[in-house]
Amino acid sequence: MRLNNRGSAATRAVVWTLVLIVAAAGVTAFSVLRGREGPVQAVLVTADDDVYWERLVDGAEAAAALYDVDLTVLENNGSIDRQNELLRQAESGRYSAIAVSPVDANRQATLLRSIGRSSSLVTVDSDCDVSGRICFVGADNYAAGRASGRMIKQALPDGARVLIVMGPIEKANGERRRQGIIDELLDRSDGPGRPTEPIGEVHQNGDFAVVATAIDPIDPDMATANVRAVLEADPRVNCVVGLFAYSAPAALAAVEQMGRLDRVTVVGFDDNEATLAAIAEGKIYGTIAQDQFSYGFASVRLLADAARGVEEYSIPVTEELHFDPVAVTEENLSTYRGTLRGTSGMVAPPLDDEG
């Protein structure tokens, strides 16, 4: 059961067709054996209500059908207070397994540790590594940030003055992506554990510089206003990179409003339709597309194993399960659209390595 179900009938038809195909290959028989003790009661708590979560929820629901999980989806609105309320609701309920994308890893660590003591806990999309969770499922966000930095270099080989646009810096996925971009543009060695660079400073090496970071509370309108303000204050900015699904379309809106499409290159994250359409039109250079379906699928699969006491067979030794993102530009856009990216969770790799 999901609250605020916005998936289309067409999407559901595709997902359930894939479920039946995999079931025919024998996965259903396997799940039945694992489900003899009855359905696992699980809950997925999103970070916000962006369309980004729709495909992740589709993946979670597909896994729930295969692994005998009674799944409830609680949709947050981006607020830490609201998410904490939903987490306490889940903790006090009948759920033995909880997946969550923390809004603020540091401020929520105590609550998450409490949940982890009484329920199997998985973090998805954004991590809190001190939460006591059994596993994090998502991208290696630092590596994804470096991939975004390489895309910026590809788009603007002669140099760039870059504005980063993102949601709250407290959200671990955005913070790690930002650091990856800075390290890549500054030609630093790989440093996943490198401390976060200060927000109010310019970070420069030769022809590449990150001149500003604009932060918003998961608010597209505010993101657009922030981009306008920075572009007005510094007309030399020639690249805007958005780190959340809504960020690049919001940045593009500001660039178009100011008539600077010919002077400012936009790079994005994720593959919502607005971003892909803008890539097709030549208005956004490219995006780093994640595999949300597999995130949702693997999260529920792990929770089902943990609830049944067989997590040692499926949880990676690193306690992190990474799915590599894809760099999408106009050059490979049609191929990307045709691969049904995001359904790989139906045949997810064995969970005894990092995938």
Side-chain angles (χ1 to χ4, degrees), residues 114-321:
S114 172
I115 292 171
R117 284 193 290 268
S118 59
S119 304
S120 299
L121 178 68
V122 165
T123 53
V124 57
D125 183 65
S126 189
D127 195 14
C128 177
D129 60 3
V130 296
S131 63
R133 45 78 166 152
I134 60 173
C135 194
F136 164 67
V137 179
D140 178 335
N141 283 294
Y142 176 81
R146 295 204 73 128
S148 181
R150 290 192 294 273
M151 182 174 284
I152 292 168
K153 289 178 175 178
Q154 177 182 330
L156 297 162
D158 295 329
R161 291 180 62 82
V162 179
L163 163 63
I164 293 176
V165 185
M166 61 186 293
I169 190 66
E170 296 81 9
K171 206 166 187 306
N173 56 352
E175 181 271 328
R176 287 290 83 195
R177 291 170 193 172
R178 175 179 178 268
Q179 191 61 46
I181 289 172
I182 293 172
D183 287 354
E184 181 64 32
L185 293 181
L186 271 58
D187 290 329
R188 291 174 174 167
S189 61
D190 206 37
R194 190 169 284 124
T196 305
E197 300 291 346
I199 293 291
E201 297 180 6
V202 174
H203 308 285
Q204 183 166 4
N205 178 35
D207 294 326
F208 290 92
V210 175
V211 299
T213 300
I215 295 172
D216 61 81
I218 317 292
D219 185 332
D221 291 337
M222 184 177 292
T224 297
N226 287 344
V227 173
R228 284 188 62 103
V230 173
L231 293 181
E232 288 169 355
D234 186 353
R236 295 177 299 166
V237 170
N238 65 342
C239 181
V240 182
V241 55
L243 299 193
F244 286 27
Y246 66 90
S247 303
L252 177 61
V255 172
E256 288 187 308
Q257 290 166 12
M258 299 179 71
R260 295 195 186 179
L261 269 178
D262 59 337
R263 287 181 283 165
V264 178
T265 298
V266 178
V267 171
F269 248 89
D270 300 317
D271 62 354
N272 62 32
E273 185 52 40
T275 296
L276 296 183
I279 293 173
E281 295 170 1
K283 295 180 178 180
I284 289 180
Y285 179 80
T287 193
I288 305 300
Q290 299 188 80
D291 189 358
Q292 300 101 291
F293 190 99
S294 286
Y295 296 177
F297 189 97
S299 295
V300 170
R301 180 179 173 182
L302 286 167
L303 289 175
D305 277 357
R308 295 185 173 114
V310 294
E311 65 269 26
E312 66 269 22
Y313 300 115
S314 60
I315 295 175
V317 174
T318 59
E319 297 182 348
E320 295 188 5
L321 180 60

Side-chain angles (χ1 to χ4, degrees), residues 3-4 16-17 89 91 105 133 148 158 167 177 180 213 236 287 296 304 315 329 334 337:
L3 306 186
N4 293 337
W16 286 107
T17 297
Q89 174 184 332
E91 183 182 24
R133 45 78 166 152
S148 181
D158 295 329
R177 291 170 193 172
T213 300
R236 295 177 299 166
T287 193
I315 295 175
T329 63
S334 60
R337 284 187 181 277

Side-chain angles (χ1 to χ4, degrees), residues 344-355:
S344 60
M346 298 300 304
V347 287
L351 299 186
D352 57 359
D353 54 37
E354 289 201 52

